[in-house]
Amino acid sequence: MNVRDSEHMIAELNAHEGYELTDDATLADLILINTCSVREKPVHKLFSELGVFNKLKKADAKIGVCGCTASHLGKEIIKRAPYVNFVLGARNVSKIADVLHRDKAVEIEIDYDESQFAFKDFRSSPYKAYINISIGCDKQCTFCIVPKTRGDEISIPADLIVAETRKAVENGAKEVFLLGQNVNNYGRRLSGGNEKINFTELLRRVSAVEGLERIRFTSPHPLHMDDEFIEEFARNPKICKSMHMPLQSGSSEILKAMKRGYTKEWFLNRARKLREMAPDVSISTDIIVAFPGESDEDFEDTMDVLNQVRFEQLFSFKYSPRPLTEAEKLEEVDSEIGSNRLARLQARHDEILDEMKSVNLGKVVEVYFEELRDGGYVAGRSDNNLGIKVKGSEELLGTIAKVKIIEVSRNVQYGEIIA
Ligand code: SAH
């Protein structure tokens, strides 16, 4: 979502103010830092990075802080780093060209509705288009700061999403990546009293766009993975067979304390149904260890889910208390216990990956090539999200080809094109 927000800012600044991108901070007239506040570490990093950029920048260059940490810290950022010229919250991206001209502006209005704002167009990849389908988040997960930084959940009208898809395809993208905090809760609150449809119906409409070959989306919420959704996912050939199922914890007790709305059994049931209906699916997950009150037994439940579902990809975190959240005041699990649990979880996941990787050897998959890599390689992803490299050059970019996997490792596989 931050990548898409950055693309929107780049597009607005280019169209209205004539700015162009540079990777060299010493040449920049404007330095934008787009921030995350989900965990504490990136917030600390912001202030050290600001210090670095302040030293590197041209004397008259401006610095702007955007994104979730901007929403959450607001004018505090200018207090701590007085050379910052403006602060722009995650919910106020469309105001970028305006704050640029108002020194010390702090625009962090949380109720601001820019869900139908017609942003100018910029895409960092010509092959894949990120498309927002909703903004904000209505969940109340007790660990999570996102609803406080991105505001209430508002779904973007389906006809706008379909039109954006069509335009991306006309401009050469074969793949769209639909974005929202709870994509499969789509339609709960639509901006401007528009027609209400659910995510499954939205997927059908997007997939009807001619020339579009692949649809990905993130993040779906396990609670809203009903049969209709899983069946459409399995049956629709344009939907890539890669599903993110953020577990957070395998313990039903902890899930309740997190206010996730599902149990261990529901999660396992949904993962089983998914693997039954779409046998090639790869499932990724997010797990938080050491949420306040997590006992050894609770953690064993998480290990149990890991062992049963055998995720193809794991994003795992030690719980980090966040301001403005319900869990902030709860007594924390001993830090060393948390670190040990995280290490155990990751080690077991690595073992599972090693056990599973040979399954891919010799398989033939369809790969969409998106990036040139060192050593004469071109990299792309299979439908079910395997990272695959083949020997080749530019002509492959933007094409889809059948590839036989000839070498496998935990994170990347090598292949050769067979058709
Ligand atoms: N809406 C998404 C979450 C986006 S945040 C969802 O429900 O899946 C991405 C991930 O960061 C979360 O899934 C969670 O695993 C992690 N996270 C969020 N808050 C956290 C916290 N306080 N401490 C540690 N990890 C956290």
Side-chain angles (χ1 to χ4, degrees):
M1 296 197 90
N2 269 10
V3 170
R4 186 64 186 135
D5 289 345
S6 296
E7 289 178 347
H8 279 152
M9 288 188 253
I10 293 165
E12 288 298 297
L13 287 170
N14 178 264
H16 301 295
E17 305 287 331
Y19 280 81
E20 281 173 26
L21 280 173
T22 172
D23 282 336
D24 186 345
T26 63
L27 295 178
D29 297 303
L30 169 65
I31 296 174
L32 287 181
I33 304 188
N34 198 4
T35 59
C36 174
S37 62
V38 162
R39 284 170 296 278
E40 202 177 358
K41 228 187 198 159
V43 178
H44 288 309
K45 222 170 110 189
L46 166 66
F47 288 97
S48 57
E49 286 211 345
L50 275 173
V52 172
F53 283 128
N54 188 39
K55 283 205 189 93
L56 283 179
K57 76 179 185 74
K58 291 195 294 196
D60 57 349
K62 291 179 181 168
I63 297 186
V65 177
C66 316
C68 288
T69 302
S71 306
H72 147 226
L73 292 180
K75 56 181 188 293
E76 178 71 25
I77 294 174
I78 297 185
K79 237 195 229 158
R80 282 177 66 179
Y83 46 84
V84 167
N85 296 87
F86 61 86
V87 174
L88 185 69
R91 188 76 178 225
N92 300 260
V93 175
S94 59
K95 299 176 188 164
I96 182 75
D98 167 52
V99 288
L100 191 64
H101 301 292
R102 291 194 285 122
D103 200 36
K104 308 300 169 204
V106 177
E107 283 286 347
I108 54 171
E109 200 187 329
I110 198 78
D111 298 325
Y112 192 63
D113 181 0
E114 52 185 13
S115 59
Q116 294 202 48
F117 186 85
F119 284 100
K120 297 287 177 193
D121 211 21
F122 172 82
R123 302 224 173 253
S124 33
S125 162
Y127 312 115
K128 170 170 67 187
Y130 290 112
I131 296 181
N132 286 342
I133 69 162
S134 60
I135 60 171
C137 183
D138 269 1
K139 296 285 174 200
Q140 293 173 343
C141 303
T142 55
F143 54 82
C144 191
I145 193 175
V146 171
K148 296 290 191 300
T149 61
R150 288 190 174 267
D152 290 347
E153 194 169 311
I154 303 178
S155 298
I156 294 168
D159 49 355
L160 292 185
I161 296 166
V162 171
E164 205 178 337
T165 303
R166 223 175 260 129
K167 194 165 159 205
V169 171
E170 274 163 23
N171 290 334
K174 291 190 167 79
E175 178 176 314
V176 291
F177 209 127
L178 308 178
L179 298 173
Q181 292 294 335
N182 292 303
V183 284
N184 53 344
N185 199 26
Y186 178 83
R188 185 179 137 89
R189 186 189 300 114
L190 270 154
S191 73
N194 279 276
E195 180 201 11
K196 260 188 185 223
I197 60 166
N198 67 14
F199 186 56
T200 307
E201 178 56 26
L202 180 71
L203 285 172
R204 289 190 191 114
R205 292 192 191 179
V206 170
S207 67
V209 171
E210 225 168 291
L212 178 69
E213 306 217 20
R214 290 183 162 197
I215 302 172
R216 298 187 191 276
F217 50 82
T218 206
S219 306
H221 194 294
L223 174 65
H224 305 295
M225 292 189 176
D226 54 30
D227 285 353
E228 189 202 16
F229 166 66
I230 294 180
E231 281 156 22
E232 180 66 22
F233 174 86
R235 181 168 53 207
N236 188 327
K238 288 192 182 176
I239 300 177
C240 290
K241 298 301 172 269
S242 149
M243 184 79 91
H244 189 56
M245 285 186 76
L247 169 67
Q248 312 303 1
S249 169
S251 151
S252 295
E253 279 299 303
I254 295 295
L255 287 169
K256 201 168 167 199
M258 288 174 160
K259 292 204 176 148
R260 289 290 289 177
Y262 53 88
T263 58
K264 175 187 182 184
E265 289 67 34
W266 168 261
F267 187 93
L268 287 172
N269 171 290
R270 295 294 87 186
R272 246 192 322 268
K273 167 117 188 162
L274 195 57
R275 291 222 192 265
E276 264 165 40
M277 302 274 319
D280 286 335
V281 71
S282 68
I283 305 181
S284 57
T285 197
D286 291 348
I287 291 177
I288 299 175
V289 301
F291 181 81
E294 185 186 81
S295 64
D296 286 340
E297 216 182 341
D298 291 320
F299 177 65
E300 291 311 325
D301 273 327
T302 300
M303 291 296 285
D304 185 39
V305 176
L306 188 84
N307 282 314
Q308 290 200 48
V309 179
R310 298 169 71 82
F311 299 102
E312 277 77 6
Q313 201 177 10
L314 165 71
F315 301 94
S316 52
F317 317 99
K318 190 161 119 177
Y319 171 73
S320 160
R322 306 304 298 125
L324 314 173
T325 62
E326 236 185 282
E328 185 198 1
K329 300 270 170 344
L330 300 178
E331 196 184 329
E332 284 178 56
V333 170
D334 176 78
S335 173
E336 208 184 312
I337 293 179
S339 301
N340 291 340
R341 286 180 187 164
L342 188 64
R344 240 188 90 198
L345 183 82
Q346 291 174 341
R348 179 63 194 128
H349 173 67
D350 284 349
E351 271 173 26
I352 292 173
L353 287 188
D354 285 341
E355 289 162 20
M356 295 196 306
K357 72 182 182 197
S358 60
V359 172
N360 292 321
L361 197 61
K363 262 196 184 160
V364 174
V365 290
E366 288 207 337
V367 178
Y368 183 30
F369 293 103
E370 293 171 63
E371 266 179 273
L372 290 177
R373 288 289 163 81
D374 291 346
Y377 285 101
V378 186
R381 301 216 147 255
S382 69
D383 177 288
N384 65 352
N385 212 25
L386 290 171
I388 299 191
K389 285 184 181 177
V390 302
K391 282 276 183 198
S393 53
E394 262 153 27
E395 312 85 77
L396 284 179
L397 291 176
T399 67
I400 296 179
K402 281 205 163 63
V403 171
K404 182 171 180 185
I405 299 175
I406 53 172
E407 194 187 325
V408 291
S409 72
R410 254 180 225 155
N411 297 315
V412 65
Q413 1 292 311
Y414 292 87
E416 51 190 29
I417 294 182
I418 57 165

